[in-house]
Amino acid sequence: MKSIIKFFASGQSYFIDFIRVAIFVVMVWIGGLKAFNYEADGIVPFVINSPFMKFFYHNTGNTAKKDKGEIVAEYNLYKNLEGKTVKNNIDWHESNGTYAFSYGLGLVIVIIGLSVLLGIWFPKIGFWGGILTAGMSITTLTFLITTPEVYVPNLGGDFQTPQHGFPYLSGAGRLVIKDIIMLAGGLIIASNSAQKIISSSIKS
């Protein structure tokens, strides 16, 4: 047991580098997917409801009528299910600026991921990578407040579902809440990079 404890105690620096690699993989993979329409479509509810990001879209605030006359946010009528492509929906997203914004966002995410990885060898770059990771995670976590889709809706059925609204996270909500881990990882990376910068300045 003591040898296991010593192994983990002595391996902290390697584990922090593993956090860097893990964040790099997540950022580059997800950032890269932002170049594809299905991923760009999927982030619309988050962006269009965010007071910090909605100005990137052209159709923010628009409403429309559903089949039964219910007034809803317009984007609800143009959702492409993952794996399904509808030309009319794509046209709406193009007019909305969905894809252009997604390409830019994806590039930013990939750059952050690369800066986090480079922190293994270049602490100053890694420091800013950690700070930006934490900042991006905080922005993502605000979606828990601004995005209706992060909680289970009451769609009816044989009787009213007792599990809807806060705190019942939907699939989208469960995805968002995990950014708490990214936030912690970014802060750890920034702190570790700062320690390396200070240590290097003392030695020089």
Side-chain angles (χ1 to χ4, degrees), residues 116-138:
V116 168
L117 182 67
L118 288 172
I120 296 175
W121 305 281
F122 306 101
K124 289 183 180 179
I125 296 176
F127 172 77
W128 288 110
I131 292 294
L132 290 171
T133 297
M136 191 183 74
S137 299
I138 290 171

Side-chain angles (χ1 to χ4, degrees), residues 28 36 40 49 63 65 80 91 104 124 127 183:
V28 171
F36 298 92
N49 287 296
T63 58
K65 283 186 179 182
N80 278 320
D91 291 343
K124 289 183 180 179
F127 172 77
L183 171 59

Side-chain angles (χ1 to χ4, degrees), residues 64-76:
K65 283 186 179 182
K66 292 181 73 174
D67 294 338
K68 296 181 179 180
E70 179 187 358
I71 302 296
V72 296
E74 187 179 57
Y75 72 87
N76 284 284

